[in-house]
Amino acid sequence: MSVKFSVAALSLLAGIPLGLPISAKLTATANSSSSITTSRLESRQAQGKIAALQANLRMSYRAIPLGNISSPLTGSDPKAVAQQAFNNSEAKSKQVAIAYPARGKAVVTITQLGLEDDSVGSIRYRVELTRSGRQWRIVWAGFQVKCQSGRGHQNWSPQNCV
């Protein structure tokens, strides 16, 4: 089964209200120091929940050692850094999505469909980046595959095709 989470869905799963962003909650409660402390605590708790959700999402991907990536791991645009690292020109179509689950963090999902491979039909990469100053750096990457018909599983999985 393929599961995709939007930033809104991650917010809901993490228990973050969709009405006001956390920064707006801090501004709205500036009259009371106890409210500010509570809001900061809620912000840290929400960030912790999002980090836990990301770790759970990682479990459905096979990790790629960053030392195996031959392109630069840093750059000014997180989407461009991820695409440069995982560009497969033999794919018939490609979809790229980016989400910013927390300040200074980006997750790029690259889905390549219609591979000209006898076993693997499609591959999906999850690339997590963090920002330091003006530079984004890949901190984790993983992949899932869908097999060609008759060559194994037909759902997104970290398992090999046959």
Side-chain angles (χ1 to χ4, degrees):
M1 175 192 329
S2 175
V3 178
K4 292 184 181 181
F5 292 101
S6 67
V7 174
L10 283 174
S11 294
L12 287 171
L13 289 170
I16 302 169
L18 290 176
L20 291 176
I22 292 169
S23 59
K25 287 173 60 179
L26 287 172
T27 303
T29 58
N31 296 334
S32 166
S33 62
S34 64
S35 294
I36 291 172
T37 303
T38 301
S39 293
R40 287 185 182 152
L41 177 61
E42 288 173 359
S43 175
R44 284 191 207 114
Q45 289 171 340
Q47 289 174 357
K49 287 179 181 180
I50 289 172
L53 284 169
Q54 285 186 332
N56 285 338
L57 288 172
R58 283 182 179 183
M59 292 174 43
S60 65
Y61 287 79
R62 185 179 315 164
I64 299 169
L66 298 182
N68 292 357
I69 300 172
S70 59
S71 68
L73 299 178
T74 60
S76 60
D77 178 12
K79 191 173 180 179
V81 172
Q83 286 183 293
Q84 186 175 6
F86 300 103
N87 185 28
N88 185 339
S89 59
E90 70 180 44
K92 291 182 181 165
S93 72
K94 181 172 28 173
Q95 301 164 352
V96 180
I98 187 164
Y100 297 91
R103 186 176 184 164
K105 298 192 182 300
V107 177
V108 179
T109 305
I110 302 169
T111 305
Q112 299 171 347
L113 307 169
L115 299 178
E116 295 182 16
D117 184 271
D118 64 342
S119 307
V120 178
S122 302
I123 190 164
R124 178 166 54 197
Y125 296 98
R126 177 182 172 85
V127 185
E128 297 177 9
L129 302 98
T130 58
R131 186 179 65 212
S132 177
R134 294 184 178 192
Q135 292 290 304
W136 288 90
R137 178 172 188 75
I138 296 175
V139 294
W140 188 87
F143 72 96
Q144 299 174 320
V145 296
K146 278 187 182 182
C147 302
Q148 298 282 10
S149 181
R151 300 302 303 256
H153 55 85
Q154 300 298 298
N155 298 318
W156 290 112
S157 172
Q159 298 174 346
N160 289 333
C161 298
V162 292

